[in-house]
Amino acid sequence: MATLRSPFRYDFVGSFLRPQAIKTARVEFKAGEITREQLTAVENEQITLLIEKQKHAGYHAITDGEFRRSYWHLDFMWGFAGIDEIELDHGYYFQGEETTHGSIRVSGKISGENHPFVEHYKFVKQFEDENYIARQTMPAPAQLLAELYREDNGKNTDAVYPNHEQLLQDIAAAYRTVIRDLYNAGCRSIQFDDCTWGMFCDPNYQAFIAQAGVKLEDQANEYLRLNNLALEGRPADLALTTHVCRGNYHSTWASRGGYAPIAPILFAHENVDAFYLEFDDERSGNFEPLQYVAEGKKVVLGLITTKSPRLEDKAAVIARIHEAEKYIPLDRLCLSPQCGFASCEIGNKLTDLEQWNKLKLVKEIAEEVWGK
């Protein structure tokens, strides 16, 4: 078993552009032209090749690139008992683009036994050694709660769960089950992905909930409590990190605004080891909110964008790292792209080569700042 601990000086968020073989196989499976076993064989082959590339690029974390998923979040949610896959009449609205229409519907008691992602993890686990550690990414519990109340979903959720506190407790327990099963399978690195905090930062969302008579602080504290409930009892040798996202679909975005509204809540009190934070453009604000990050926790600065093939200027990125150092010591900072390269299977607007050029740049800058 690897003894490495996330995060790393140079790191990535987790998802990678889907190769054409994966895209073709998924279309064929949906059309009934190939079996589930045949699709899995293609996925296994392509994930193996991806892990070889991750290792060749010098990264210590290895993932399956989320190659078995359509979405960064919904596929995981569909794996819970008591949650059904549904289609809405529209998707999420991003800047200038609408996503595909998937969502979830609660149909009974939510629980986490026999979650399919545990088997997905086991496939990646076999490629670990003393230099590489298999990481499992998943949406945060708060993200599941947000999806259950997305537009009209909330009416059904409240009908099935009239006791809201019981809903929160069942979500947390379901996550604890999955975390336990992953740990028992050898997992020592889990990453929560969480767009809810990026949403809280957005002035438009702040105005929306204010009109509904909801206080931002109250909603944020509920989401924080849920995430922390899910982490109760986690083993000390399990690294648990979280990525805060503002939307990442086909190189577009969903929300904007600096971290100031949520920093005293999230950065100070979420029981994770590190925060992967987007800082690739002006939508993310300045570094000042980093002063709220609790002592001992790390921050992975997402200074390299995955939304464009344009390579950042090394000197400019290094200068920004040292700017962040005004608020957090350099030994608690790391560097990564701002998000994954394919939060959904459609992927961002860059090529496979451009994707790896981005990761090469991250490594080069990190080694220049922190040494090899």
Side-chain angles (χ1 to χ4, degrees):
M1 179 182 294
T3 57
L4 302 170
R5 189 174 182 91
S6 299
F8 303 104
R9 290 299 184 200
Y10 51 93
D11 215 325
F12 52 72
V13 172
S15 67
F16 284 74
L17 295 173
R18 310 297 198 267
Q20 188 57 50
I22 289 278
K23 293 180 179 180
T24 299
R26 290 182 68 86
V27 170
E28 291 174 343
F29 174 71
K30 191 172 183 179
E33 297 171 2
I34 63 173
T35 65
R36 168 63 71 180
E37 290 72 22
Q38 289 172 310
L39 172 61
T40 299
V42 174
E43 291 171 342
N44 289 349
E45 178 183 28
Q46 294 300 317
I47 290 167
T48 300
L49 293 174
L50 172 67
I51 291 171
E52 290 175 358
K53 290 181 179 180
Q54 290 169 347
K55 290 182 175 183
H56 180 74
Y59 281 75
H60 295 294
I62 54 175
T63 74
D64 63 7
E66 302 178 5
F67 280 7
R68 303 188 199 273
R69 307 185 212 179
S70 297
Y71 300 89
W72 64 276
H73 58 326
L74 296 178
D75 295 69
F76 179 83
M77 298 174 188
W78 296 332
F80 284 125
I83 289 181
D84 298 336
E85 176 181 351
I86 64 168
E87 292 277 317
L88 301 178
D89 60 5
H90 62 82
Y92 305 94
Y93 294 109
F94 276 58
Q95 187 71 14
E97 192 157 351
E98 179 186 349
T99 73
T100 49
H101 298 182
S103 188
I104 62 175
R105 178 183 175 90
V106 63
S107 57
K109 179 179 172 62
I110 298 170
S111 63
E113 292 79 9
N114 302 311
H115 197 287
F117 275 40
V118 177
E119 293 303 314
H120 297 177
Y121 167 78
K122 290 177 181 178
F123 183 82
V124 181
K125 168 73 177 175
Q126 67 180 308
F127 298 100
E128 273 190 353
D129 61 27
E130 66 275 8
N131 295 312
Y132 308 102
I133 187 167
R135 176 181 297 158
Q136 182 62 54
T137 65
M138 65 181 73
Q143 194 72 50
L144 173 57
L145 181 63
E147 190 69 24
L148 287 174
Y149 283 93
R150 178 182 166 195
E151 300 184 6
D152 288 342
N153 286 354
K155 297 176 183 178
N156 176 73
T157 299
D158 287 341
V160 177
Y161 272 99
N163 184 325
H164 188 69
E165 179 61 26
Q166 189 61 56
L167 171 65
L168 300 182
Q169 293 295 334
D170 283 358
I171 291 173
Y175 269 84
R176 290 195 298 268
T177 295
V178 176
I179 290 170
R180 179 203 66 206
D181 291 348
L182 283 168
Y183 185 85
N184 289 341
C187 184
R188 297 298 180 267
S189 179
I190 292 175
Q191 176 186 303
F192 281 173
D193 294 317
D194 202 341
C195 284
T196 61
W197 302 99
M199 175 180 68
F200 289 147
C201 295
D202 190 281
N204 291 332
Y205 182 76
Q206 294 165 19
F208 169 74
I209 63 170
Q211 285 182 338
V214 178
K215 292 183 179 180
L216 175 67
E217 184 178 0
D218 290 344
Q219 191 173 42
N221 277 315
E222 178 177 79
Y223 283 23
L224 173 74
R225 184 167 77 93
L226 176 58
N227 284 348
N228 284 342
L229 276 172
L231 297 177
E232 286 185 348
R234 72 177 174 104
D237 62 341
L238 172 62
L240 203 304
T241 62
T242 191
H243 170 242
V244 176
C245 183
R246 288 171 171 77
N248 185 51
Y249 181 84
H250 208 210
S251 293
T252 61
W253 52 271
S255 60
R256 66 185 311 143
Y259 294 98
I262 54 94
I265 299 171
L266 177 69
F267 295 167
H269 298 294
E270 186 159 272
N271 295 331
V272 295
D273 299 305
F275 299 95
Y276 290 72
L277 301 178
E278 298 192 346
F279 282 110
D280 61 320
D281 62 25
E282 73 286 348
R283 289 183 302 111
S284 302
N286 59 37
F287 295 124
E288 188 174 351
L290 296 181
Q291 66 185 297
Y292 290 99
V293 175
E295 188 68 29
K297 298 183 187 297
K298 293 184 177 181
V299 169
V300 185
L301 299 171
L303 298 174
I304 308 297
T305 190
T306 65
K307 299 182 185 297
S308 162
R310 174 187 56 82
L311 287 177
E312 287 78 358
D313 177 74
K314 280 187 182 182
V317 174
I318 291 171
R320 294 197 71 198
I321 293 171
H322 291 303
E323 184 182 346
E325 189 184 2
K326 297 175 183 177
Y327 303 98
I328 294 187
L330 189 63
D331 65 0
R332 288 169 54 200
L333 292 173
C334 306
L335 180 65
S336 77
Q338 120 279 346
C339 195
F341 292 94
S343 298
C344 298
E345 59 188 341
I346 189 174
N348 283 347
K349 296 177 182 178
L350 66 170
T351 66
D352 185 69
L353 176 60
E354 290 164 343
Q355 167 182 257
W356 291 103
N357 284 342
K358 288 280 184 175
L359 291 170
K360 179 181 178 182
L361 178 64
V362 169
K363 183 174 183 288
E364 289 175 352
I365 292 172
E367 289 181 340
E368 188 166 337
V369 172
W370 289 281
K372 295 185 178 181

